Amino acid sequence: TQHFRAALALERALLPPLHPAVAGTENALANALFQAGEVDEPAELWSAALATFERVLEPGHPDLVTVLANLALVHQRQLDFEGARSELGRALELRRATLGAAHPRTLFLLRRLADLELSAGEPAAALALAEECLARERELAAAGTGEASGLEQALFSLALAERASGALAAASAHLVESLALQSARLPADSLDLAQSRTLLGALLLQQDQPAAAERVLRAALELLRAKLAGHWLTANTESLLGAALLAVGRVA
């Protein structure tokens, strides 16, 4: 962030108002701060960058869409779901207009919107969006034009929405499919695999299948203990595994 701040100070001093380079550095600094856990300053920087890009760029320009989507992220973290929904919905419509409804970058934002609705406590809306996203991703995969991770992420997003909607069997089936794709693409020690296995274990527990849950949770925990010892994600998986063992009578 130190270098971005120095660059931004120079650009603001030397460049005219509404210069896109200034907005670009505001976006970069906001990204760095947001990744470090900051919220208020990234919101101010992204708002400033958006105001500039709206004046100097064509509607649908990638930089404008990116800042809109970034601003939605920070508002979602602030629990301003209406603001986040408005910004992300606008970003999605601009991307549809420029790239089409089935482009991988459009579908990324569609998946983001599904996740937002889930965070906002709207599982029905999340489910509809996730189902649309998966249908589009399957079309791209069949045509060989999708991104490697697009289908697996759409399946994962749909599984989350189905779980929130109470469709546990469907959620498990979609998560198993996503996990198979991940296992073929990712290294064996990927934390993404551990995350998927932990969620699958939780779903199996909810469906009274503790023995099956134990198997996937042990695989997840082995990875997490090796790479995230002491992390809350590891403790969460340990807790779920404990529940699975208790359910099969292994109290000790």
Side-chain angles (χ1 to χ4, degrees):
T1 59
Q2 178 183 354
H3 296 299
F4 285 135
R5 285 192 189 281
L8 184 57
L10 282 172
E11 288 170 346
R12 284 175 170 172
L14 298 173
L15 296 174
L18 301 180
H19 196 288
V22 176
T25 305
E26 287 170 338
N27 176 55
L29 176 58
N31 268 316
L33 291 168
F34 187 71
Q35 293 300 321
E38 299 290 332
V39 175
D40 293 337
E41 191 176 1
E44 294 173 4
L45 288 162
W46 275 324
S47 295
L50 179 61
T52 296
F53 283 153
E54 287 179 321
R55 293 281 298 276
V56 303
L57 298 178
E58 293 293 323
H61 189 283
D63 290 346
L64 191 154
V65 175
T66 294
V67 169
L68 269 172
N70 286 344
L71 199 53
L73 270 178
V74 79
H75 285 152
Q76 182 174 346
R77 186 173 290 182
Q78 292 173 321
L79 305 183
D80 175 11
F81 296 118
E82 283 302 316
R85 187 180 287 116
S86 174
E87 290 147 359
L88 194 54
R90 184 181 164 203
L92 178 59
E93 288 310 308
L94 289 171
R95 190 143 283 173
R96 278 177 172 151
T98 55
L99 298 179
H103 192 279
R105 293 174 68 184
T106 304
L107 295 179
F108 171 77
L109 292 183
L110 183 62
R111 190 168 63 251
R112 278 267 315 271
L113 188 57
D115 294 341
L116 169 62
E117 293 293 359
L118 201 57
S119 298
E122 300 290 344
L127 187 61
L129 291 164
E131 287 174 338
E132 179 188 350
C133 187
L134 179 58
R136 298 280 190 183
E137 288 287 2
R138 288 201 190 281
E139 291 173 5
L140 291 179
T145 57
E147 294 184 349
S149 62
L151 180 56
E152 68 193 47
Q153 290 171 351
L155 286 160
F156 188 89
S157 181
L158 180 56
L160 290 176
E162 288 169 333
R163 183 191 189 192
S165 302
L168 301 182
S172 295
H174 285 127
L175 191 56
V176 166
E177 186 180 354
S178 177
L179 187 54
L181 292 171
Q182 283 183 311
S183 298
R185 184 180 65 86
L186 298 173
D189 63 349
S190 169
L191 289 174
D192 287 344
L193 293 173
Q195 181 185 15
S196 294
R197 287 168 179 154
T198 295
L199 178 58
L200 181 57
L203 281 165
L204 291 169
L205 277 175
Q206 286 181 273
Q207 296 171 84
D208 297 320
Q209 299 179 50
E214 179 190 352
R215 289 192 295 273
V216 294
L217 289 169
R218 283 196 183 280
L221 187 56
E222 182 181 358
L223 261 176
L224 288 166
R225 281 178 169 168
K227 304 192 79 169
L228 287 179
H231 196 278
W232 72 267
L233 287 170
T234 306
N236 180 61
T237 305
E238 288 170 335
S239 178
L240 289 167
L241 179 56
L245 293 169
L246 186 62
V248 296
R250 293 162 62 186
V251 180

PDB file of all heavy atoms in Angstrom, residues 33-63:
ATOM      1  N   LEU A  33      -5.873  -2.432   0.214  1.00  0.00           N
ATOM      2  CA  LEU A  33      -6.411  -2.171   1.549  1.00  0.00           C
ATOM      3  C   LEU A  33      -7.525  -3.152   1.896  1.00  0.00           C
ATOM      4  O   LEU A  33      -7.611  -3.635   3.035  1.00  0.00           O
ATOM      5  CB  LEU A  33      -6.926  -0.729   1.628  1.00  0.00           C
ATOM      6  CG  LEU A  33      -5.859   0.366   1.574  1.00  0.00           C
ATOM      7  CD1 LEU A  33      -6.510   1.731   1.368  1.00  0.00           C
ATOM      8  CD2 LEU A  33      -5.029   0.371   2.858  1.00  0.00           C
ATOM      9  N   PHE A  34      -8.372  -3.452   0.916  1.00  0.00           N
ATOM     10  CA  PHE A  34      -9.482  -4.371   1.159  1.00  0.00           C
ATOM     11  C   PHE A  34      -8.958  -5.767   1.480  1.00  0.00           C
ATOM     12  O   PHE A  34      -9.473  -6.451   2.368  1.00  0.00           O
ATOM     13  CB  PHE A  34     -10.404  -4.401  -0.060  1.00  0.00           C
ATOM     14  CG  PHE A  34     -11.668  -5.184   0.145  1.00  0.00           C
ATOM     15  CD1 PHE A  34     -12.675  -4.705   0.965  1.00  0.00           C
ATOM     16  CD2 PHE A  34     -11.861  -6.406  -0.490  1.00  0.00           C
ATOM     17  CE1 PHE A  34     -13.851  -5.415   1.155  1.00  0.00           C
ATOM     18  CE2 PHE A  34     -13.030  -7.123  -0.309  1.00  0.00           C
ATOM     19  CZ  PHE A  34     -14.030  -6.634   0.514  1.00  0.00           C
ATOM     20  N   GLN A  35      -7.926  -6.194   0.749  1.00  0.00           N
ATOM     21  CA  GLN A  35      -7.329  -7.500   1.018  1.00  0.00           C
ATOM     22  C   GLN A  35      -6.712  -7.556   2.408  1.00  0.00           C
ATOM     23  O   GLN A  35      -6.617  -8.632   3.010  1.00  0.00           O
ATOM     24  CB  GLN A  35      -6.275  -7.830  -0.042  1.00  0.00           C
ATOM     25  CG  GLN A  35      -6.840  -8.060  -1.436  1.00  0.00           C
ATOM     26  CD  GLN A  35      -7.822  -9.218  -1.496  1.00  0.00           C
ATOM     27  OE1 GLN A  35      -7.631 -10.243  -0.848  1.00  0.00           O
ATOM     28  NE2 GLN A  35      -8.894  -9.045  -2.259  1.00  0.00           N
ATOM     29  N   ALA A  36      -6.309  -6.400   2.927  1.00  0.00           N
ATOM     30  CA  ALA A  36      -5.723  -6.336   4.271  1.00  0.00           C
ATOM     31  C   ALA A  36      -6.784  -6.191   5.357  1.00  0.00           C
ATOM     32  O   ALA A  36      -6.443  -6.063   6.529  1.00  0.00           O
ATOM     33  CB  ALA A  36      -4.733  -5.176   4.351  1.00  0.00           C
ATOM     34  N   GLY A  37      -8.052  -6.190   4.961  1.00  0.00           N
ATOM     35  CA  GLY A  37      -9.130  -6.130   5.940  1.00  0.00           C
ATOM     36  C   GLY A  37      -9.751  -4.769   6.150  1.00  0.00           C
ATOM     37  O   GLY A  37     -10.662  -4.623   6.968  1.00  0.00           O
ATOM     38  N   GLU A  38      -9.271  -3.742   5.436  1.00  0.00           N
ATOM     39  CA  GLU A  38      -9.858  -2.406   5.561  1.00  0.00           C
ATOM     40  C   GLU A  38     -11.183  -2.349   4.805  1.00  0.00           C
ATOM     41  O   GLU A  38     -11.401  -3.088   3.839  1.00  0.00           O
ATOM     42  CB  GLU A  38      -8.904  -1.352   4.999  1.00  0.00           C
ATOM     43  CG  GLU A  38      -7.565  -1.285   5.722  1.00  0.00           C
ATOM     44  CD  GLU A  38      -7.685  -0.719   7.120  1.00  0.00           C
ATOM     45  OE1 GLU A  38      -8.612   0.093   7.354  1.00  0.00           O
ATOM     46  OE2 GLU A  38      -6.875  -1.090   7.988  1.00  0.00           O
ATOM     47  N   VAL A  39     -12.067  -1.452   5.236  1.00  0.00           N
ATOM     48  CA  VAL A  39     -13.377  -1.339   4.596  1.00  0.00           C
ATOM     49  C   VAL A  39     -13.691   0.105   4.201  1.00  0.00           C
ATOM     50  O   VAL A  39     -14.032   0.379   3.047  1.00  0.00           O
ATOM     51  CB  VAL A  39     -14.497  -1.882   5.526  1.00  0.00           C
ATOM     52  CG1 VAL A  39     -15.871  -1.649   4.902  1.00  0.00           C
ATOM     53  CG2 VAL A  39     -14.296  -3.370   5.791  1.00  0.00           C
ATOM     54  N   ASP A  40     -13.582   1.025   5.142  1.00  0.00           N
ATOM     55  CA  ASP A  40     -14.036   2.395   4.889  1.00  0.00           C
ATOM     56  C   ASP A  40     -13.221   3.096   3.810  1.00  0.00           C
ATOM     57  O   ASP A  40     -13.789   3.703   2.893  1.00  0.00           O
ATOM     58  CB  ASP A  40     -13.989   3.211   6.187  1.00  0.00           C
ATOM     59  CG  ASP A  40     -15.006   2.712   7.204  1.00  0.00           C
ATOM     60  OD1 ASP A  40     -15.996   2.070   6.787  1.00  0.00           O
ATOM     61  OD2 ASP A  40     -14.817   2.953   8.409  1.00  0.00           O
ATOM     62  N   GLU A  41     -11.885   3.040   3.899  1.00  0.00           N
ATOM     63  CA  GLU A  41     -11.070   3.724   2.897  1.00  0.00           C
ATOM     64  C   GLU A  41     -11.219   3.100   1.506  1.00  0.00           C
ATOM     65  O   GLU A  41     -11.316   3.834   0.512  1.00  0.00           O
ATOM     66  CB  GLU A  41      -9.599   3.759   3.313  1.00  0.00           C
ATOM     67  CG  GLU A  41      -8.781   4.686   2.417  1.00  0.00           C
ATOM     68  CD  GLU A  41      -7.335   4.836   2.850  1.00  0.00           C
ATOM     69  OE1 GLU A  41      -6.939   4.208   3.858  1.00  0.00           O
ATOM     70  OE2 GLU A  41      -6.594   5.571   2.176  1.00  0.00           O
ATOM     71  N   PRO A  42     -11.251   1.756   1.384  1.00  0.00           N
ATOM     72  CA  PRO A  42     -11.522   1.197   0.053  1.00  0.00           C
ATOM     73  C   PRO A  42     -12.845   1.681  -0.533  1.00  0.00           C
ATOM     74  O   PRO A  42     -12.939   1.948  -1.738  1.00  0.00           O
ATOM     75  CB  PRO A  42     -11.545  -0.317   0.300  1.00  0.00           C
ATOM     76  CG  PRO A  42     -10.646  -0.508   1.460  1.00  0.00           C
ATOM     77  CD  PRO A  42     -10.864   0.689   2.331  1.00  0.00           C
ATOM     78  N   ALA A  43     -13.879   1.814   0.305  1.00  0.00           N
ATOM     79  CA  ALA A  43     -15.165   2.305  -0.193  1.00  0.00           C
ATOM     80  C   ALA A  43     -15.024   3.720  -0.755  1.00  0.00           C
ATOM     81  O   ALA A  43     -15.567   4.041  -1.820  1.00  0.00           O
ATOM     82  CB  ALA A  43     -16.208   2.277   0.915  1.00  0.00           C
ATOM     83  N   GLU A  44     -14.274   4.579  -0.067  1.00  0.00           N
ATOM     84  CA  GLU A  44     -14.067   5.949  -0.536  1.00  0.00           C
ATOM     85  C   GLU A  44     -13.270   5.968  -1.835  1.00  0.00           C
ATOM     86  O   GLU A  44     -13.596   6.707  -2.775  1.00  0.00           O
ATOM     87  CB  GLU A  44     -13.335   6.759   0.543  1.00  0.00           C
ATOM     88  CG  GLU A  44     -14.135   6.972   1.806  1.00  0.00           C
ATOM     89  CD  GLU A  44     -13.303   7.633   2.904  1.00  0.00           C
ATOM     90  OE1 GLU A  44     -12.130   7.974   2.625  1.00  0.00           O
ATOM     91  OE2 GLU A  44     -13.820   7.778   4.023  1.00  0.00           O
ATOM     92  N   LEU A  45     -12.219   5.161  -1.900  1.00  0.00           N
ATOM     93  CA  LEU A  45     -11.372   5.137  -3.093  1.00  0.00           C
ATOM     94  C   LEU A  45     -12.119   4.579  -4.300  1.00  0.00           C
ATOM     95  O   LEU A  45     -12.024   5.121  -5.410  1.00  0.00           O
ATOM     96  CB  LEU A  45     -10.113   4.306  -2.813  1.00  0.00           C
ATOM     97  CG  LEU A  45      -9.087   4.946  -1.874  1.00  0.00           C
ATOM     98  CD1 LEU A  45      -8.123   3.892  -1.333  1.00  0.00           C
ATOM     99  CD2 LEU A  45      -8.312   6.043  -2.594  1.00  0.00           C
ATOM    100  N   TRP A  46     -12.862   3.489  -4.099  1.00  0.00           N
ATOM    101  CA  TRP A  46     -13.608   2.914  -5.222  1.00  0.00           C
ATOM    102  C   TRP A  46     -14.721   3.852  -5.687  1.00  0.00           C
ATOM    103  O   TRP A  46     -15.005   3.928  -6.876  1.00  0.00           O
ATOM    104  CB  TRP A  46     -14.154   1.544  -4.844  1.00  0.00           C
ATOM    105  CG  TRP A  46     -13.148   0.448  -5.048  1.00  0.00           C
ATOM    106  CD1 TRP A  46     -12.224   0.361  -6.045  1.00  0.00           C
ATOM    107  CD2 TRP A  46     -12.968  -0.726  -4.249  1.00  0.00           C
ATOM    108  NE1 TRP A  46     -11.480  -0.783  -5.925  1.00  0.00           N
ATOM    109  CE2 TRP A  46     -11.909  -1.478  -4.823  1.00  0.00           C
ATOM    110  CE3 TRP A  46     -13.593  -1.221  -3.101  1.00  0.00           C
ATOM    111  CZ2 TRP A  46     -11.468  -2.686  -4.300  1.00  0.00           C
ATOM    112  CZ3 TRP A  46     -13.159  -2.422  -2.573  1.00  0.00           C
ATOM    113  CH2 TRP A  46     -12.104  -3.158  -3.164  1.00  0.00           C
ATOM    114  N   SER A  47     -15.338   4.568  -4.742  1.00  0.00           N
ATOM    115  CA  SER A  47     -16.367   5.539  -5.140  1.00  0.00           C
ATOM    116  C   SER A  47     -15.764   6.656  -5.973  1.00  0.00           C
ATOM    117  O   SER A  47     -16.355   7.094  -6.972  1.00  0.00           O
ATOM    118  CB  SER A  47     -17.047   6.112  -3.892  1.00  0.00           C
ATOM    119  OG  SER A  47     -17.767   5.111  -3.195  1.00  0.00           O
ATOM    120  N   ALA A  48     -14.572   7.114  -5.576  1.00  0.00           N
ATOM    121  CA  ALA A  48     -13.896   8.164  -6.342  1.00  0.00           C
ATOM    122  C   ALA A  48     -13.498   7.665  -7.731  1.00  0.00           C
ATOM    123  O   ALA A  48     -13.674   8.366  -8.735  1.00  0.00           O
ATOM    124  CB  ALA A  48     -12.661   8.649  -5.579  1.00  0.00           C
ATOM    125  N   ALA A  49     -12.970   6.444  -7.790  1.00  0.00           N
ATOM    126  CA  ALA A  49     -12.580   5.874  -9.084  1.00  0.00           C
ATOM    127  C   ALA A  49     -13.793   5.696  -9.985  1.00  0.00           C
ATOM    128  O   ALA A  49     -13.734   5.983 -11.193  1.00  0.00           O
ATOM    129  CB  ALA A  49     -11.883   4.532  -8.866  1.00  0.00           C
ATOM    130  N   LEU A  50     -14.898   5.251  -9.416  1.00  0.00           N
ATOM    131  CA  LEU A  50     -16.114   5.069 -10.206  1.00  0.00           C
ATOM    132  C   LEU A  50     -16.614   6.391 -10.772  1.00  0.00           C
ATOM    133  O   LEU A  50     -17.009   6.475 -11.943  1.00  0.00           O
ATOM    134  CB  LEU A  50     -17.199   4.420  -9.349  1.00  0.00           C
ATOM    135  CG  LEU A  50     -18.545   4.183 -10.037  1.00  0.00           C
ATOM    136  CD1 LEU A  50     -18.383   3.243 -11.227  1.00  0.00           C
ATOM    137  CD2 LEU A  50     -19.564   3.631  -9.047  1.00  0.00           C
ATOM    138  N   ALA A  51     -16.583   7.439  -9.942  1.00  0.00           N
ATOM    139  CA  ALA A  51     -17.030   8.752 -10.421  1.00  0.00           C
ATOM    140  C   ALA A  51     -16.208   9.219 -11.609  1.00  0.00           C
ATOM    141  O   ALA A  51     -16.742   9.797 -12.564  1.00  0.00           O
ATOM    142  CB  ALA A  51     -16.948   9.759  -9.277  1.00  0.00           C
ATOM    143  N   THR A  52     -14.907   8.945 -11.580  1.00  0.00           N
ATOM    144  CA  THR A  52     -14.055   9.323 -12.704  1.00  0.00           C
ATOM    145  C   THR A  52     -14.342   8.463 -13.933  1.00  0.00           C
ATOM    146  O   THR A  52     -14.543   8.981 -15.039  1.00  0.00           O
ATOM    147  CB  THR A  52     -12.566   9.181 -12.322  1.00  0.00           C
ATOM    148  OG1 THR A  52     -12.266  10.094 -11.268  1.00  0.00           O
ATOM    149  CG2 THR A  52     -11.664   9.465 -13.509  1.00  0.00           C
ATOM    150  N   PHE A  53     -14.380   7.159 -13.742  1.00  0.00           N
ATOM    151  CA  PHE A  53     -14.584   6.262 -14.878  1.00  0.00           C
ATOM    152  C   PHE A  53     -15.938   6.515 -15.554  1.00  0.00           C
ATOM    153  O   PHE A  53     -16.063   6.387 -16.771  1.00  0.00           O
ATOM    154  CB  PHE A  53     -14.488   4.806 -14.427  1.00  0.00           C
ATOM    155  CG  PHE A  53     -13.076   4.331 -14.192  1.00  0.00           C
ATOM    156  CD1 PHE A  53     -12.807   3.305 -13.290  1.00  0.00           C
ATOM    157  CD2 PHE A  53     -12.003   4.903 -14.873  1.00  0.00           C
ATOM    158  CE1 PHE A  53     -11.508   2.853 -13.078  1.00  0.00           C
ATOM    159  CE2 PHE A  53     -10.702   4.463 -14.661  1.00  0.00           C
ATOM    160  CZ  PHE A  53     -10.454   3.435 -13.765  1.00  0.00           C
ATOM    161  N   GLU A  54     -16.950   6.875 -14.764  1.00  0.00           N
ATOM    162  CA  GLU A  54     -18.256   7.152 -15.355  1.00  0.00           C
ATOM    163  C   GLU A  54     -18.217   8.394 -16.248  1.00  0.00           C
ATOM    164  O   GLU A  54     -19.017   8.512 -17.186  1.00  0.00           O
ATOM    165  CB  GLU A  54     -19.308   7.334 -14.255  1.00  0.00           C
ATOM    166  CG  GLU A  54     -19.700   6.035 -13.580  1.00  0.00           C
ATOM    167  CD  GLU A  54     -20.728   6.222 -12.483  1.00  0.00           C
ATOM    168  OE1 GLU A  54     -20.628   7.218 -11.741  1.00  0.00           O
ATOM    169  OE2 GLU A  54     -21.623   5.381 -12.362  1.00  0.00           O
ATOM    170  N   ARG A  55     -17.283   9.285 -15.976  1.00  0.00           N
ATOM    171  CA  ARG A  55     -17.174  10.510 -16.766  1.00  0.00           C
ATOM    172  C   ARG A  55     -16.299  10.330 -18.009  1.00  0.00           C
ATOM    173  O   ARG A  55     -16.540  10.984 -19.033  1.00  0.00           O
ATOM    174  CB  ARG A  55     -16.580  11.640 -15.898  1.00  0.00           C
ATOM    175  CG  ARG A  55     -17.465  12.105 -14.753  1.00  0.00           C
ATOM    176  CD  ARG A  55     -18.565  13.045 -15.217  1.00  0.00           C
ATOM    177  NE  ARG A  55     -18.016  14.265 -15.792  1.00  0.00           N
ATOM    178  CZ  ARG A  55     -17.644  15.328 -15.074  1.00  0.00           C
ATOM    179  NH1 ARG A  55     -17.744  15.316 -13.739  1.00  0.00           N
ATOM    180  NH2 ARG A  55     -17.175  16.411 -15.676  1.00  0.00           N
ATOM    181  N   VAL A  56     -15.278   9.464 -17.920  1.00  0.00           N
ATOM    182  CA  VAL A  56     -14.282   9.440 -18.994  1.00  0.00           C
ATOM    183  C   VAL A  56     -14.278   8.149 -19.817  1.00  0.00           C
ATOM    184  O   VAL A  56     -13.637   8.103 -20.869  1.00  0.00           O
ATOM    185  CB  VAL A  56     -12.862   9.696 -18.438  1.00  0.00           C
ATOM    186  CG1 VAL A  56     -12.802  11.010 -17.688  1.00  0.00           C
ATOM    187  CG2 VAL A  56     -12.400   8.557 -17.530  1.00  0.00           C
ATOM    188  N   LEU A  57     -14.967   7.112 -19.365  1.00  0.00           N
ATOM    189  CA  LEU A  57     -14.951   5.841 -20.085  1.00  0.00           C
ATOM    190  C   LEU A  57     -16.311   5.540 -20.704  1.00  0.00           C
ATOM    191  O   LEU A  57     -17.341   6.033 -20.240  1.00  0.00           O
ATOM    192  CB  LEU A  57     -14.567   4.682 -19.145  1.00  0.00           C
ATOM    193  CG  LEU A  57     -13.184   4.744 -18.501  1.00  0.00           C
ATOM    194  CD1 LEU A  57     -12.983   3.546 -17.578  1.00  0.00           C
ATOM    195  CD2 LEU A  57     -12.079   4.805 -19.539  1.00  0.00           C
ATOM    196  N   GLU A  58     -16.289   4.713 -21.719  1.00  0.00           N
ATOM    197  CA  GLU A  58     -17.533   4.264 -22.333  1.00  0.00           C
ATOM    198  C   GLU A  58     -18.263   3.312 -21.383  1.00  0.00           C
ATOM    199  O   GLU A  58     -17.634   2.572 -20.624  1.00  0.00           O
ATOM    200  CB  GLU A  58     -17.237   3.525 -23.645  1.00  0.00           C
ATOM    201  CG  GLU A  58     -16.679   4.405 -24.750  1.00  0.00           C
ATOM    202  CD  GLU A  58     -17.700   5.410 -25.240  1.00  0.00           C
ATOM    203  OE1 GLU A  58     -18.907   5.060 -25.305  1.00  0.00           O
ATOM    204  OE2 GLU A  58     -17.301   6.555 -25.540  1.00  0.00           O
ATOM    205  N   PRO A  59     -19.606   3.333 -21.398  1.00  0.00           N
ATOM    206  CA  PRO A  59     -20.347   2.347 -20.598  1.00  0.00           C
ATOM    207  C   PRO A  59     -19.936   0.923 -20.996  1.00  0.00           C
ATOM    208  O   PRO A  59     -19.802   0.613 -22.169  1.00  0.00           O
ATOM    209  CB  PRO A  59     -21.812   2.615 -20.965  1.00  0.00           C
ATOM    210  CG  PRO A  59     -21.826   4.021 -21.461  1.00  0.00           C
ATOM    211  CD  PRO A  59     -20.491   4.247 -22.129  1.00  0.00           C
ATOM    212  N   GLY A  60     -19.725   0.088 -20.018  1.00  0.00           N
ATOM    213  CA  GLY A  60     -19.306  -1.278 -20.299  1.00  0.00           C
ATOM    214  C   GLY A  60     -17.815  -1.468 -20.385  1.00  0.00           C
ATOM    215  O   GLY A  60     -17.346  -2.598 -20.578  1.00  0.00           O
ATOM    216  N   HIS A  61     -17.040  -0.388 -20.254  1.00  0.00           N
ATOM    217  CA  HIS A  61     -15.577  -0.528 -20.263  1.00  0.00           C
ATOM    218  C   HIS A  61     -15.156  -1.449 -19.106  1.00  0.00           C
ATOM    219  O   HIS A  61     -15.695  -1.349 -17.994  1.00  0.00           O
ATOM    220  CB  HIS A  61     -14.921   0.846 -20.105  1.00  0.00           C
ATOM    221  CG  HIS A  61     -13.441   0.837 -20.317  1.00  0.00           C
ATOM    222  ND1 HIS A  61     -12.558   0.365 -19.371  1.00  0.00           N
ATOM    223  CD2 HIS A  61     -12.685   1.247 -21.375  1.00  0.00           C
ATOM    224  CE1 HIS A  61     -11.321   0.490 -19.824  1.00  0.00           C
ATOM    225  NE2 HIS A  61     -11.371   1.015 -21.029  1.00  0.00           N
ATOM    226  N   PRO A  62     -14.208  -2.342 -19.347  1.00  0.00           N
ATOM    227  CA  PRO A  62     -13.821  -3.299 -18.293  1.00  0.00           C
ATOM    228  C   PRO A  62     -13.416  -2.645 -16.977  1.00  0.00           C
ATOM    229  O   PRO A  62     -13.738  -3.174 -15.906  1.00  0.00           O
ATOM    230  CB  PRO A  62     -12.646  -4.052 -18.926  1.00  0.00           C
ATOM    231  CG  PRO A  62     -12.865  -3.948 -20.394  1.00  0.00           C
ATOM    232  CD  PRO A  62     -13.504  -2.608 -20.615  1.00  0.00           C
ATOM    233  N   ASP A  63     -12.718  -1.512 -17.028  1.00  0.00           N
ATOM    234  CA  ASP A  63     -12.293  -0.861 -15.787  1.00  0.00           C
ATOM    235  C   ASP A  63     -13.488  -0.354 -14.986  1.00  0.00           C
ATOM    236  O   ASP A  63     -13.511  -0.444 -13.748  1.00  0.00           O
ATOM    237  CB  ASP A  63     -11.340   0.291 -16.086  1.00  0.00           C
ATOM    238  CG  ASP A  63      -9.989  -0.178 -16.582  1.00  0.00           C
ATOM    239  OD1 ASP A  63      -9.703  -1.389 -16.448  1.00  0.00           O
ATOM    240  OD2 ASP A  63      -9.222   0.640 -17.108  1.00  0.00           O
TER     241      ASP A  63
END
